[in-house]
Amino acid sequence: MNYENITLTCDNGIARLTLNRPDKLNSFNEEMHAELRDALDGIQSGRIPARVLVLSGAGRAFCAGQDLADRAMQIKDGKLPDIGDIVERNYKQLIVRLQNLRVPTIAAVNGIAAGAGASVALACDLVIATQSASFLQAFSKIGLIPDTGGTWFLPQRVGMARAMGLALLADKLPAAKAAEWGLIWECVADAEFAARIDALAGQLASAPTKALVRTRQAMHAAPGHTLEQQLSFEGGFMRELGWSRDYAEGVQAFMEKRAPNFTGE
């Protein structure tokens, strides 16, 4: 598939997927969603030999959410668009793919992450933002609710009081405060951002991939389990990982007092 709204490269196990509509602040349209599904499916299938995915935005924004000028949002024959259908076809599919991806994910938030753009960032395993970046739940300003998993991610990350304030008041949240609140992993100086992303991507690309993904899955499953159920859930993953090549390599490297050479197997 020839991409016009995103770019995708993969080098040394690091896949870099960039939302590439800078003149529209990388807002989503139908074509971008189709390209994102194709790119993520390529990573999931192994056609793209990634060990980590870095998701970023071109230009001065990460993503401004849905492009309200997109053809899917237009009134046709006097009828308003079915936004629920758009959420089901596009945004649900995007979040599910990110959450189920076979490699760890990093959101590199270089500017404004608004609406669905903020939720897509929060769907990644690690969110790193520049000092000048910010997060915005703008839905209440146009009569909607936070979607793309926003009502799920926000209360889990920052608690109900802060989540409700962000959603109802639609105030910008600076990246530094987002890190302070625990919404994101880290806020770094703009000048240090690229180097920090490269370092984290390299670290995850050389890590035991299956263990990282199972960690994500176990943590997301925990709220729906009792402690006893979660202990059994962990046991199943530990059994699987205990038979993996990376576990054997990790133990051998520890015994030999050397750095492990993980392959993701």
Side-chain angles (χ1 to χ4, degrees):
M1 186 173 186
N2 294 321
Y3 300 140
E4 296 182 0
N5 299 275
I6 65 172
T7 64
L8 177 63
T9 63
C10 187
D11 187 46
N12 294 323
I14 301 173
R16 299 179 187 272
L17 199 168
T18 303
L19 308 178
N20 193 31
R21 302 183 72 218
D23 57 323
K24 301 293 185 181
L25 300 182
N26 302 315
S27 56
F28 293 107
N29 61 13
E30 289 286 308
E31 291 76 19
M32 180 184 279
H33 277 292
E35 292 175 10
L36 284 168
R37 287 192 292 270
D38 183 79
L40 293 174
D41 287 348
I43 294 172
Q44 187 71 351
S45 69
R47 174 169 55 85
I48 298 168
R51 297 276 301 280
V52 64
L53 170 66
V54 177
L55 179 63
S56 62
R60 60 190 178 92
F62 175 75
C63 177
Q66 172 66 40
D67 184 353
L68 297 180
D70 182 41
R71 56 186 170 81
M73 300 294 292
Q74 301 307 301
I75 297 174
K76 297 176 182 177
D77 300 324
K79 296 182 180 179
L80 291 169
D82 185 344
I83 300 179
D85 177 65
I86 294 171
V87 169
E88 189 74 19
R89 285 188 297 104
N90 291 332
Y91 292 102
K92 179 180 177 180
Q93 298 301 319
L94 175 55
I95 297 302
V96 167
R97 279 171 167 80
L98 282 172
Q99 291 275 282
N100 292 331
L101 205 63
R102 66 176 184 85
V103 300
T105 55
I106 299 172
V109 180
N110 56 301
I112 184 69
S119 296
V120 167
L122 297 178
C124 294
D125 299 322
L126 293 177
V127 185
I128 318 297
T130 61
Q131 190 79 32
S132 61
S134 58
F135 298 82
L136 174 64
Q137 297 296 324
F139 297 93
S140 67
K141 291 186 175 182
I142 56 172
L144 297 175
I145 68 166
D147 67 0
T148 317
T151 58
W152 195 87
F153 293 122
L154 288 170
Q156 286 206 355
R157 296 284 182 92
V158 299
M160 187 60 72
R162 285 172 170 167
M164 197 69 76
L166 290 171
L168 298 187
L169 302 177
D171 291 337
K172 277 187 180 180
L173 182 67
K177 183 168 282 189
E180 178 187 329
W181 283 7
L183 183 68
I184 66 174
W185 173 245
E186 191 174 9
C187 173
V188 300
D190 290 40
E192 300 170 5
F193 184 64
R196 181 61 176 147
I197 294 297
D198 287 348
L200 283 173
Q203 181 179 342
L204 294 183
S206 61
T209 310
K210 287 183 179 179
L212 302 187
V213 172
R214 291 293 184 253
T215 298
R216 173 212 296 153
Q217 293 171 334
M219 288 191 174
H220 283 305
H225 288 167
T226 65
L227 175 57
E228 185 173 353
Q229 289 171 331
Q230 187 68 6
L231 289 167
S232 296
F233 195 72
E234 292 171 351
F237 283 163
M238 291 294 277
R239 179 177 296 110
E240 174 198 1
L241 295 170
W243 289 331
S244 70
R245 293 180 182 177
D246 276 350
Y247 172 70
E249 166 62 13
V251 172
Q252 188 69 24
F254 177 81
M255 298 298 292
E256 295 175 359
K257 296 182 172 57
R258 61 173 174 81
N261 180 25
F262 294 125
T263 63
E265 298 298 327

